[in-house]
Amino acid sequence: MLLKTDRSIRNEIFLDKKDMGEKMLIARILSVAMILMVFAHGASAETHADTNTMPSEWGPDDERGAANRITPEKVLEATQLIQEGRIYELGRDYEAGMPLFPGRHYSLTIPGSPTGGPMGKNGVVYHDEMVSGQIGQVGTQFDGLGHVGVRINGEDIFYNGFKRSEFGTSAGLNKLGVENVGAFVTRGVLIDVAGYKGVDRLPVGTVITAADLQDALAKQSLKLTEGDVVLIHTGHGRLWMVDNDEYNRGAPGIGMEAALWLAEHKVSMTGADTWPVEVIPSEDPELAFPVHQELIVRRGIYNFENLNLSELAADEVYEFAFMFAPVKFKGATGSPGNPIAIK
């Protein structure tokens, strides 16, 4: 048996302490690394939630968003859906007394009747009209990518990260103006949620879920494909110019879950026979128009409001060629218009 000297014992103690110290140091380093990783993840998640923006998949200069999905192949696909040659007009009349979002107005005036003339030996007379209103945001309205943004730390951020301070002017938007959108000729799909639920009209505040959309599509024997325009029939449009107060009080519409499901299918546009498309009141009472922000700001997916979908639903026309070209108001946030569905 060997006896350890005092010196050897001291050396072992020193080595044990050294080894323990190294282990403690490594443990501290790993702990700090874990903390930094968690912090970085949390900061990243917080930034994502706070900014509510995403870079465009079509590049940092993109101003067209999901309209880029309307490819020549998609246009040709849409033309194959025209079998009967029947046209459905989906726009409503622009008229005095129509439901309006609070603070907006609309008026049309014929300045003089006739406005001009007679002129020439043939006595020609003519009428002009003078229109006043938030012309891209009243009646049947197409929301462009410059319509909605999100305020973050005092800066208003819009689609593709564009800052309002760098493009917004009282004379029009220098980026994301509706003139950049181009025309839509694509496959249109009507999802008749009211019909699926067996009611004429969904009550105000009804949240349309992803399951509702999926089940209604299954009933209609349809699936969504990239670049589709998806129109949702709720029956709320029955109130238009019949009970404007109830029409404006709120609306049935898609919730966030359904919006994300539609975004995952890479649609180019959503629309409905309601004034917001999304459900109002919102699922979270502290949020204002969160689906607008999700689809328009983060995804570049367009929005079409106050559509007349009753005839499509009554005729059970669920798949069709959809056509619409926004009026080229340079720098405008949206466009009026009369989109059409052709069967």
Side-chain angles (χ1 to χ4, degrees):
M1 180 176 180
L2 296 175
L3 297 176
K4 296 182 180 179
T5 65
D6 289 344
R7 182 174 181 180
S8 65
I9 292 171
R10 286 197 300 270
N11 286 341
E12 286 185 8
I13 293 172
F14 173 77
L15 290 173
D16 287 343
K17 287 182 178 179
K18 181 180 179 183
D19 183 57
M20 184 180 297
E22 289 176 348
K23 289 180 179 178
M24 290 178 65
L25 179 61
I26 291 172
R28 287 188 183 125
I29 291 172
L30 289 174
S31 296
V32 171
M34 288 295 293
I35 292 170
L36 290 174
M37 286 174 66
V38 170
F39 177 79
H41 176 75
S44 175
E46 181 180 359
T47 301
H48 176 74
D50 285 350
T51 59
N52 200 27
T53 61
M54 292 172 65
S56 169
E57 61 185 274
W58 297 282
D61 297 324
D62 176 55
E63 299 182 48
R64 298 188 66 230
N68 286 294
R69 295 184 176 132
I70 311 301
T71 62
E73 293 77 18
K74 195 68 180 177
V75 173
L76 292 175
E77 175 193 344
T79 64
Q80 299 304 309
L81 298 173
I82 302 175
Q83 300 294 319
E84 300 174 10
R86 181 166 183 184
I87 298 174
Y88 293 83
E89 297 184 60
L90 309 181
R92 297 193 178 276
D93 293 343
Y94 296 86
E95 58 183 312
M98 65 181 173
L100 296 170
F101 188 79
R104 295 177 184 164
H105 81 282
Y106 169 84
S107 68
L108 183 148
T109 303
I110 302 296
S113 185
T115 303
M119 297 186 300
K121 292 182 178 180
N122 53 328
V124 66
V125 296
Y126 63 90
H127 282 132
D128 288 342
E129 61 281 308
M130 182 168 59
V131 176
S132 174
Q134 291 84 351
I135 196 61
Q137 300 298 332
V138 296
T140 298
Q141 58 196 261
F142 170 85
D143 287 347
L145 301 183
H147 177 47
V148 170
V150 54
R151 180 159 294 182
I152 306 165
N153 298 324
E155 183 72 78
D156 297 338
I157 309 297
F158 284 72
Y159 171 72
N160 208 9
F162 291 121
K163 298 178 180 179
R164 180 188 57 80
S165 60
E166 298 175 356
F167 74 87
T169 76
S170 60
L173 307 180
N174 293 326
K175 287 187 180 297
L176 304 178
V178 76
E179 75 278 5
N180 295 297
V181 176
F184 288 83
V185 179
T186 188
R187 177 181 184 244
V189 174
L190 177 75
I191 305 181
D192 186 3
V193 179
Y196 163 70
K197 291 182 176 290
V199 298
D200 291 333
R201 177 173 67 85
L202 299 176
V204 167
T206 299
V207 179
I208 296 173
T209 66
D212 290 331
L213 299 181
Q214 293 163 12
D215 291 345
L217 282 169
K219 180 182 178 182
Q220 298 169 189
S221 300
L222 290 175
K223 293 183 178 180
L224 299 183
T225 59
E226 183 173 350
D228 288 347
V229 165
V230 176
L231 308 180
I232 301 169
H233 177 246
T234 70
H236 191 71
R238 289 171 170 265
L239 300 171
W240 183 269
M241 296 298 285
V242 174
D243 187 346
N244 288 355
D245 289 340
E246 181 65 11
Y247 186 89
N248 277 338
R249 184 174 70 86
I254 56 175
M256 185 59 71
E257 178 201 28
L260 292 173
W261 184 80
L262 290 168
E264 288 171 2
H265 283 75
K266 297 188 175 183
V267 301
S268 59
M269 182 195 304
T270 61
D273 55 350
T274 70
W275 57 269
V277 179
E278 65 182 284
V279 63
I280 297 295
S282 295
E283 297 168 282
D284 184 339
E286 294 187 353
L287 300 182
F289 303 102
V291 170
H292 272 65
Q293 286 185 323
E294 179 65 36
L295 295 183
I296 296 175
V297 181
R298 299 190 70 227
R299 311 281 183 160
I301 295 173
Y302 295 91
N303 199 38
F304 224 138
E305 300 163 341
N306 297 326
L307 294 170
N308 184 355
L309 303 177
S310 57
E311 194 175 6
L312 277 179
D315 289 351
E316 299 183 356
V317 176
Y318 303 131
E319 187 180 28
F320 44 84
F322 176 90
M323 300 184 185
F324 175 71
V327 181
K328 288 199 168 191
F329 292 121
K330 187 173 177 63
T333 69
S335 173
N338 181 27
I340 61 173
I342 308 177
K343 177 63 177 175

